Amino acid sequence: MVSIQNTPAAGSDPLRVFIDGRECNCIAVTERGLHYGDGLFETVLLRHGRLCQWQRHCNRLIHGAQRLGIPMPDIAQLVAEMTEIAHGSENGILKLILTRGSGGRGYRPPPAPTPHRLLFLYPLPPAPAQSWQTGVIVRYCHTPASVNPALAGIKHLNRLDAVLARREWSDPTISEGLMCDALGNVIGGTMTNLFVWDGERLRTPPVNRSGITGTRRALTIELAAKFGIDCIESALTPTDLECATGLFLTNAINGVWPVRDLAGQHYALEALPWSLLNAIVLASHTPD
Amino acid sequence: MVSIQNTPAAGSDPLRVFIDGRECNCIAVTERGLHYGDGLFETVLLRHGRLCQWQRHCNRLIHGAQRLGIPMPDIAQLVAEMTEIAHGSENGILKLILTRGSGGRGYRPPPAPTPHRLLFLYPLPPAPAQSWQTGVIVRYCHTPASVNPALAGIKHLNRLDAVLARREWSDPTISEGLMCDALGNVIGGTMTNLFVWDGERLRTPPVNRSGITGTRRALTIELAAKFGIDCIESALTPTDLECATGLFLTNAINGVWPVRDLAGQHYALEALPWSLLNAIVLASHTPD
């Protein structure tokens, strides 16, 4: 088995698991999260014993729960449980799953569901500091990103497109794969958002038909404004990426990944707006 | 709480549950079926203690497992377990879920997964004989059907589009809702395939970008050929449905539902090709 560097350990064995506040390692087989992917998740970075950018994760969860019609758990209680599960860990990854729970007849949800909150504490994989300095190698995936305006943006549990895309390569030197929709628009990485730099401004794919509203995507857009750098949402094709000065990827665990190679094309890392990138990484890894 | 008629009880409490051949009611929280919807399912009608159209379900499962790269369980063993869980039940619904199991790092599946097979025995809801005779009332859903050529056709666990669509109505007189993709093409019902009759031939939406290759859809196409009725796959818009002579819906539990009303438009049931419809229902409800 090939070992994978530079990827979060979100799928390796969790150190601890809580369901609804209690240590637990199994869930009811009638769970709608299993039957239909009827739920949401967040992957939160834990640094120095504290949650990084929690407010952005929490806001996205609230928005997703509203879109799916899943009652939100009490946030203070959720934070207390996250603090409890993380107790004694300096660094790690906290994965939170919110499901609609059991019940209903077929696809139809019960009118008053009893949602479940699942918390997983994972070890933080060795810091990929090298990726930050030397940039990462990226490929295109053949698997298209799913398109659905009613589901786009939120971090729901219907992630088979990313699973099939991530299954396309096992070369550990390739850190990420870019996914396009069936029309050929680039949507983002399997687990990252994409930013394209043309030397003056940033462009990033919209997330209203496909893709996820990444917490570090939102952070990047905000910080770019503070740095006086235009950042616009724009449909992007592989040709646009070929013509770009530079590319970088963002996510909650890795912060920023500068791209040094996409599908064989080299990008000069020094052309990227490093003062902005430094600010994103700093904010990304700083507890609230 | 409004009670729902005319819908399968697939979401109500199961009478029995087997996981990998053993009576069980919970599953590991690390299950990829829960985290990503990484799996497949089949909903098989049990009549007179026997599985109806099992071969079609089995073929679709094999095809889906191949598409997702999930190793197929031994089919003889699976059938033995289905026979065991159904033992003593005359009629019912057997839901089979095949997941990729636990493990992997994030979206990336483990190279040699240990899939799990979950079997659920549900009671058969009261026979909706009335729907067959008098036709059903159908609406349009606002929730678009997800589009992904890599996932279309197979019965995977990423079903949030159908969940949100089914959540749009609670009126028990409405039996089904039709879903369109974001471009406005009709894909099918939340849990049924659609056939459009123009007095001479049948049309049904293709399932290569969205939708599911229904077992009774395949049966209908085969039987139509035997009856000398042309049946073609064709992109269909709501306008095409307005101009149609008649409509009917198919699924594994209900067989055929003639549509008497769609979004306020009345369809004369007597205009439908009843000899074909009768043959579909007969074959649909007949054990292999």
Side-chain angles (χ1 to χ4, degrees), chain B residues 22-82:
Chain B
R22 294 183 188 177
E23 202 107 27
C24 199
N25 59 18
C26 85
I27 190 160
V29 284
T30 50
E31 170 59 55
R32 294 178 63 92
L34 171 67
H35 285 248
Y36 311 120
D38 196 358
L40 299 157
F41 73 109
E42 293 292 333
T43 308
V44 185
L45 180 64
L46 179 77
R47 293 253 300 180
H48 309 302
R50 295 181 63 194
L51 307 175
C52 298
Q53 296 286 325
W54 164 245
Q55 202 50 58
R56 290 182 198 275
H57 288 286
C58 187
N59 290 346
R60 181 171 60 186
L61 186 69
I62 291 168
H63 176 67
Q66 201 170 26
R67 291 261 295 272
L68 299 189
I70 297 177
M72 262 299 285
D74 181 81
I75 293 168
Q77 184 185 19
L78 190 59
V79 170
E81 290 167 4
M82 294 177 86

Side-chain angles (χ1 to χ4, degrees), chain B residues 116-133:
Chain B
H116 294 298
R117 46 194 195 283
L118 285 67
L119 286 176
F120 303 78
L121 175 67
Y122 294 97
L124 194 64
Q130 213 185 351
S131 308
W132 165 243
Q133 287 161 357

Side-chain angles (χ1 to χ4, degrees), chain A residues 88-107:
Chain A
S89 297
E90 268 289 290
N91 301 312
I93 297 171
L94 260 177
K95 182 169 178 177
L96 159 64
I97 296 181
L98 176 67
T99 73
R100 204 188 300 267
S102 293
R105 292 172 75 90
Y107 293 132

Side-chain angles (χ1 to χ4, degrees), chain A:
Chain A
M1 178 178 162
V2 179
S3 79
I4 301 301
Q5 282 108 39
N6 298 345
T7 52
S12 64
D13 282 343
L15 303 170
R16 302 180 75 182
V17 184
F18 283 10
I19 299 183
D20 298 338
R22 292 181 190 180
E23 203 107 26
C24 199
N25 59 16
C26 86
I27 190 161
V29 284
T30 50
E31 170 59 55
R32 296 177 61 92
L34 170 68
H35 285 248
Y36 311 120
D38 196 358
L40 299 159
F41 73 110
E42 294 291 334
T43 308
V44 185
L45 180 63
L46 180 75
R47 292 254 298 180
H48 310 302
R50 295 181 64 192
L51 308 175
C52 298
Q53 295 286 326
W54 164 247
Q55 201 52 56
R56 290 182 200 274
H57 288 287
C58 187
N59 289 346
R60 181 172 59 188
L61 185 69
I62 291 169
H63 176 67
Q66 201 171 27
R67 291 262 294 275
L68 298 188
I70 296 178
M72 263 299 285
D74 181 81
I75 294 169
Q77 184 185 19
L78 190 59
V79 170
E81 289 167 6
M82 294 177 86
T83 306
E84 190 187 341
I85 199 172
H87 182 74
S89 297
E90 268 289 290
N91 301 312
I93 297 171
L94 260 177
K95 182 169 178 177
L96 159 64
I97 296 181
L98 176 67
T99 73
R100 204 188 300 267
S102 293
R105 292 172 75 90
Y107 293 132
R108 189 183 187 205
T114 304
H116 293 299
R117 47 192 195 283
L118 285 67
L119 286 176
F120 302 78
L121 176 66
Y122 294 97
L124 194 65
Q130 216 185 348
S131 308
W132 165 243
Q133 285 160 357
T134 63
V136 296
I137 300 175
V138 179
R139 54 168 280 159
Y140 280 105
C141 296
H142 301 291
T143 308
S146 295
V147 171
N148 191 327
L151 296 173
I154 63 175
K155 208 167 165 82
H156 53 68
L157 298 177
N158 279 201
R159 300 266 76 108
L160 260 177
D161 55 350
V163 169
L164 292 194
R166 186 58 193 83
R167 207 173 154 260
E168 289 184 31
W169 82 96
S170 56
D171 178 351
T173 66
I174 297 176
S175 297
E176 178 59 307
L178 292 187
M179 301 175 70
C180 299
D181 65 18
L183 299 173
N185 298 300
V186 183
I187 301 302
T190 63
M191 57 171 183
T192 56
N193 287 109
L194 168 71
F195 288 87
V196 175
W197 174 244
D198 67 7
E200 288 189 355
R201 59 170 195 170
L202 290 170
R203 284 176 295 168
T204 190
V207 287
N208 58 344
R209 296 178 63 255
S210 186
I212 296 178
T213 313
T215 54
R216 273 54 173 185
R217 177 183 185 274
L219 175 68
T220 300
I221 292 169
E222 276 182 30
L223 285 176
K226 286 192 184 164
F227 277 76
I229 294 173
D230 275 351
C231 180
I232 59 165
E233 290 192 342
S234 163
L236 292 165
T237 64
T239 307
D240 293 322
L241 273 54
E242 276 175 33
C243 301
T245 305
L247 311 173
F248 63 92
L249 303 167
T250 62
N251 84 1
I253 307 307
N254 303 105
V256 174
W257 270 345
V259 176
R260 79 162 184 265
D261 187 300
L262 168 62
Q265 181 176 346
H266 180 75
Y267 293 88
L269 295 192
E270 55 273 23
L272 286 169
W274 279 97
S275 54
L276 172 62
L277 268 56
N278 279 309
I280 301 165
V281 168
L282 186 67
S284 188
H285 288 190
T286 301
D288 285 344

Side-chain angles (χ1 to χ4, degrees), chain B residues 64-269:
Chain B
Q66 201 170 26
R67 291 261 295 272
L68 299 189
I70 297 177
M72 262 299 285
D74 181 81
I75 293 168
Q77 184 185 19
L78 190 59
V79 170
E81 290 167 4
M82 294 177 86
T83 306
E84 188 187 343
I85 199 172
H87 182 74
S89 297
E90 267 290 290
N91 301 313
I93 298 171
L94 260 178
K95 182 170 178 176
L96 159 65
I97 296 182
L98 176 67
T99 73
R100 203 188 300 267
S102 293
R105 293 172 75 90
Y107 293 132
R108 189 184 187 204
T114 305
H116 294 298
R117 46 194 195 283
L118 285 67
L119 286 176
F120 303 78
L121 175 67
Y122 294 97
L124 194 64
Q130 213 185 351
S131 308
W132 165 243
Q133 287 161 357
T134 64
V136 296
I137 299 175
V138 178
R139 55 166 279 160
Y140 279 105
C141 296
H142 302 291
T143 307
S146 295
V147 172
N148 191 329
L151 296 173
I154 63 175
K155 208 166 166 82
H156 55 67
L157 299 177
N158 280 201
R159 299 266 77 105
L160 260 177
D161 56 348
V163 169
L164 293 194
R166 187 58 191 82
R167 207 174 154 258
E168 290 183 32
W169 82 95
S170 55
D171 178 351
T173 65
I174 297 175
S175 297
E176 178 60 305
L178 292 188
M179 300 175 72
C180 298
D181 64 18
L183 299 173
N185 297 301
V186 182
I187 302 301
T190 63
M191 56 170 184
T192 56
N193 287 108
L194 168 70
F195 287 86
V196 175
W197 173 245
D198 68 5
E200 289 189 355
R201 61 172 193 170
L202 289 170
R203 284 176 295 169
T204 189
V207 286
N208 58 344
R209 296 177 64 253
S210 188
I212 297 177
T213 313
T215 54
R216 273 54 175 186
R217 177 183 184 274
L219 176 68
T220 299
I221 292 170
E222 276 182 30
L223 286 176
K226 286 191 186 165
F227 277 75
I229 294 174
D230 274 350
C231 180
I232 59 164
E233 289 193 343
S234 163
L236 293 165
T237 64
T239 306
D240 293 321
L241 273 55
E242 276 175 32
C243 301
T245 305
L247 311 174
F248 64 90
L249 303 167
T250 60
N251 84 1
I253 307 307
N254 302 105
V256 175
W257 271 345
V259 176
R260 80 161 185 266
D261 186 302
L262 167 63
Q265 182 177 346
H266 181 75
Y267 293 87
L269 295 191

